[in-house]
Amino acid sequence: MSSFKDLGLSENLLGTLLELGYEQPTPIQEIAIPQIINYENDLKAFAQTGTGKTAAFSLPILELIDNESYESQAIILSPTRELAIQIAKNITDFSKNIPGLKTVAVYGGASIEDQIRTIKKGAQIIVGTPGRTVDLINRRVLKLNSIQWLVLDEADEMLNMGFKEELDKILAVTPETKQTLLFSATFPKEVEAIAKHYMKNAMEISAGTKNVGADSVSHEFYLVSDRNRYSALKRIADLNPNIYCIVFCRTRRETKDVADKLIADGYNADALHGDLSQAQRDIVMQKFRNKNLQILVATDVAARGLDVNDLTHVINYKLPDQIESYTHRSGRTGRAGKIGISIAIITAKEKRTLSSIEKIINKKFEQKQVPNGREVCKNQLYSLIDKVHDIEVNEKEIKEYLPDIYEKLEGLSREELIQRFVSLEFNQFLSYYENTQDINEDGSSKGRQPDANFERFYINLGKKDKINATKLIGLINENLKVRNVEIGKIEILNNFSFFEIDKNYLDQTLEGFKRTSYNGRNIIVEQAGSKKGSGKRKKTKRY
């Protein structure tokens, strides 16, 4: 393996990397850094989440950038504010010994006036989310006419989140002479289309195989009924006393619900979702990074950009709507040379989706049995004993109390002391799991169990109309004209589709799609059949 010195970096940057504890480049850094420094070709780079992509594109830019000019020379786009903040922080750390070099993060959920003032003072590197970047361009504050490097980080996720229009606007105001660097964990057709349209003579590099899960992550699934999903989550957490994980949910409502239940049941957990202010999100993330939280419950969008190296598990409470997103979820664990486990809690109905994910990541899921109470208690008890065995005794602090303690415990044998200690610490846990039932399913599909919080709708648009989940979400938001409505599961079929909406917005949904069309075709929206597993739809309230 090469050293950072072999990659063409200056002594200034090498000294900074040494200060920050960077010893050896990762495979993507080893390939990308000299490529960007020595060649002006555009670059398509594949690397899994957590493999050091930020350093791979930022270090060569810092090597080449003109720190004496205050013009913006590099624009880095990321799908979420968390990722934008993290990238900007990393670049600030890397450039701390470069005089006059300024990096600014621009993103929604924070004061645009403060960001405008910072940009006007001069910043060579801008890191932004697509929406806020377009806003600043429209306000004629952010000028990209001198841009030499455009980085699209997590390009696949930006497209999944519906940012194609914003990307088009941003790229249109950058000079043709720039070097475009596209980094992505997966390369779906939409990303290839962006590369083909906006990149010239692009080199392609890869640290791994496209669209394949990381080797450091193993994949497991537990098969349960929908009503036992939360119970399975608790048992998985209890089976792993030292768990440090992200639990992924599909909606904000589900995230809140799961986190609230975990907290009420005594777990060290909290939630991260779109309804939190930036200050609240920062507090939750700081607690999680400091390991004051063991379990973070989050949506896909909220969890993008989390840079936490020691996660033991990622748990998919529900599989993502966009199956490519599974790669990003699982990539949160198994980082920085560590081993991680990605778990999916699924119902029989979701086994087909799991098979599709296996094809994308080119790895098989191993089916595990939800543990019974005896297995959970055994793991918890042994973990407790290990902690007692390994605890460092501070005899100086407890010395004065020991004579009285010895006197109170006089007459108890070693065995009796251990039994009483275990009972004191463990009786409540043993009682909870004493009569637990087997909640594993046999794999037979018993029909779809709808979420009671959502109403299911039929729409007469499908794959043949070139509809995907992102476009359908856009149509729903456009026609409902109501902000922050929860959208549940989406199923895109050939000739029609199904989607779920917060049941409180049933009438607004039906009313909103009256006399609407898509590409010249009249849209029909109906309530889907209420009979479980029927697949039929009602003939009432048709528009």
Side-chain angles (χ1 to χ4, degrees):
M1 178 179 281
S2 303
S3 67
F4 280 107
K5 187 174 183 179
D6 298 328
L7 304 183
L9 298 176
S10 64
E11 292 296 329
N12 189 336
L13 279 175
L14 291 173
T16 302
L17 291 173
L18 191 60
E19 288 177 40
L20 295 173
Y22 286 75
E23 298 177 356
Q24 295 288 340
T26 66
I28 189 62
Q29 293 163 4
E30 193 173 9
I31 302 169
I33 290 173
Q35 177 67 36
I36 298 170
I37 290 176
N38 296 315
Y39 302 95
E40 296 181 357
N41 299 69
D42 291 347
L43 185 68
K44 291 193 298 181
F46 162 79
Q48 293 290 346
T49 301
T51 54
K53 295 196 299 295
T54 300
F57 61 73
S58 61
L59 290 175
I61 289 174
L62 291 173
E63 183 65 39
L64 300 171
I65 205 163
D66 182 2
N67 58 307
E68 294 183 358
S69 169
Y70 286 99
E71 288 186 317
S72 297
Q73 299 167 51
I75 174 79
I76 300 163
L77 298 175
S78 72
T80 67
R81 52 188 174 185
E82 280 77 20
L83 184 54
I85 292 168
Q86 185 62 47
I87 292 171
K89 181 183 181 302
N90 288 343
I91 295 176
T92 300
D93 289 341
F94 294 145
S95 61
K96 66 179 183 177
N97 294 321
I98 302 177
L101 200 289
K102 293 228 167 106
T103 301
V104 174
V106 296
Y107 50 89
S111 169
I112 193 169
E113 288 77 16
D114 290 346
Q115 294 172 4
I116 288 171
R117 281 193 290 271
T118 306
I119 291 171
K120 285 183 175 179
K121 290 179 182 178
Q124 293 92 342
I125 300 176
I126 306 293
V127 186
T129 55
R132 179 54 60 91
T133 301
V134 168
D135 195 352
L136 290 166
I137 290 170
N138 290 340
R139 291 172 184 242
R140 299 185 179 180
V141 174
L142 187 56
K143 298 178 175 61
L144 303 182
N145 53 300
S146 297
I147 287 295
Q148 298 178 45
W149 298 276
L150 167 71
V151 182
L152 302 177
D153 190 26
E154 307 287 18
D156 51 347
E157 193 64 18
M158 281 192 277
L159 294 174
N160 284 341
M161 292 170 66
F163 284 129
K164 184 180 184 304
E165 185 178 342
E166 286 83 356
L167 291 179
D168 288 343
K169 289 179 180 178
I170 296 167
L171 270 66
V173 297
T174 56
E176 290 189 7
T177 54
K178 68 183 178 298
Q179 185 179 28
T180 301
L181 311 173
L182 189 155
F183 282 75
S184 191
T186 63
F187 269 79
K189 290 184 293 184
E190 293 83 358
V191 173
E192 295 287 7
I194 283 259
K196 184 176 181 180
H197 187 67
Y198 286 109
M199 302 177 79
K200 297 179 295 186
N201 302 319
M203 298 285 292
E204 183 172 326
I205 62 175
S206 176
T209 307
K210 283 186 184 180
N211 306 330
V212 172
D215 290 334
S216 58
V217 180
S218 59
H219 304 267
E220 303 172 357
F221 76 94
Y222 293 82
L223 190 63
V224 297
S225 66
D226 198 52
R227 69 179 179 275
N228 285 325
R229 203 185 292 263
Y230 177 69
S231 296
L233 173 63
K234 289 205 301 180
R235 292 199 201 177
I236 293 167
D238 288 340
L239 187 70
N240 299 277
N242 298 316
I243 195 169
Y244 180 45
C245 76
I246 299 176
V247 175
F248 280 100
C249 296
R250 289 177 46 251
T251 66
R252 285 172 290 182
R253 170 176 287 167
E254 188 174 77
T255 300
K256 293 177 190 175
D257 183 49
V258 171
D260 287 346
K261 286 180 179 177
L262 287 171
I263 293 167
D265 287 337
Y267 292 86
N268 192 6
D270 209 337
L272 191 70
H273 52 76
D275 286 347
L276 299 178
S277 68
Q278 188 60 46
Q280 290 171 319
R281 293 158 80 99
D282 291 342
I283 290 170
V284 172
M285 276 312 305
Q286 192 60 44
K287 286 162 60 181
F288 189 56
R289 285 197 176 100
N290 292 340
K291 296 191 178 179
N292 295 324
L293 293 176
Q294 270 190 285
I295 302 173
L296 180 68
V297 189
T299 57
D300 285 295
V301 173
R304 297 295 290 157
L306 301 191
D307 187 17
V308 183
N309 288 332
D310 298 323
L311 291 183
T312 60
H313 296 74
V314 162
I315 300 177
N316 296 269
Y317 188 76
K318 289 196 181 162
L319 295 172
D321 285 325
Q322 298 284 338
I323 58 176
E324 291 85 359
S325 296
Y326 178 85
T327 302
H328 292 287
R329 288 186 178 187
S330 62
R332 298 292 102 201
T333 187
R335 297 163 71 93
K338 304 288 179 64
I339 300 299
I341 299 172
S342 180
I343 290 172
I345 304 173
I346 67 167
T347 63
K349 189 77 172 178
E350 295 167 313
K351 287 194 74 175
R352 183 177 296 178
T353 304
L354 205 68
S355 298
S356 299
I357 291 173
E358 287 179 331
K359 291 177 182 176
I360 287 178
I361 65 174
N362 197 29
K363 295 183 185 301
K364 283 288 185 183
F365 281 79
E366 180 184 357
Q367 182 169 1
K368 296 284 188 176
Q369 293 294 299
V370 179
N372 57 36
R374 182 181 179 86
E375 293 170 303
V376 169
C377 290
K378 177 182 174 183
N379 277 23
Q380 287 282 341
L381 181 57
Y382 286 177
S383 175
L384 175 64
I385 299 305
D386 286 341
K387 288 178 181 177
V388 172
H389 182 272
D390 297 336
I391 190 71
E392 184 177 340
V393 176
N394 190 339
E395 191 172 349
K396 182 179 178 181
E397 294 294 327
I398 65 173
K399 186 176 182 180
E400 63 178 294
Y401 307 108
L402 289 177
D404 289 338
I405 294 172
Y406 293 149
E407 184 179 343
K408 287 178 179 291
L409 298 177
E410 190 177 2
L412 293 176
S413 68
R414 176 175 178 271
E415 289 74 18
E416 287 174 318
L417 275 173
I418 293 173
Q419 289 168 7
R420 288 172 186 251
F421 162 73
V422 169
S423 295
L424 176 66
E425 289 290 325
F426 219 61
N427 275 355
Q428 186 177 357
F429 205 86
L430 289 166
S431 176
Y432 178 81
Y433 274 106
E434 186 176 8
N435 296 310
T436 51
Q437 298 177 338
D438 182 3
I439 60 174
N440 292 284
E441 289 288 295
D442 61 7
S444 60
S445 179
K446 299 176 182 178
R448 184 179 180 275
Q449 301 296 318
D451 190 323
N453 294 316
F454 289 95
E455 186 68 39
R456 193 166 185 247
F457 294 90
Y458 158 92
I459 185 169
N460 66 327
L461 301 175
K463 292 178 182 176
K464 73 172 187 178
D465 302 291
K466 297 184 178 178
I467 277 285
N468 57 30
T470 301
K471 290 179 180 177
L472 183 51
I473 290 171
L475 272 177
I476 294 167
N477 290 329
E478 179 183 344
N479 288 295
L480 253 65
K481 298 181 174 62
V482 180
R483 291 175 62 87
N484 298 324
V485 176
E486 288 284 354
I487 300 173
K489 187 174 180 60
I490 292 175
E491 299 173 63
I492 307 293
L493 304 175
N494 283 329
N495 299 310
F496 55 88
S497 302
F498 293 100
F499 62 90
E500 293 177 337
I501 292 283
D502 184 334
K503 66 180 181 182
N504 295 313
Y505 294 91
L506 187 154
D507 291 335
Q508 290 97 318
T509 302
L510 294 171
E511 184 69 24
F513 278 98
K514 274 186 178 181
R515 294 177 292 279
T516 57
S517 62
Y518 179 77
N519 288 343
R521 184 179 180 190
N522 291 334
I523 294 178
I524 298 172
V525 169
E526 306 170 358
Q527 287 174 263
S530 59
K531 184 179 179 181
K532 294 178 181 178
S534 69
K536 296 180 181 179
R537 46 191 173 85
K538 295 179 180 179
K539 296 297 184 180
T540 58
K541 293 189 178 181
R542 177 169 175 164
Y543 299 107

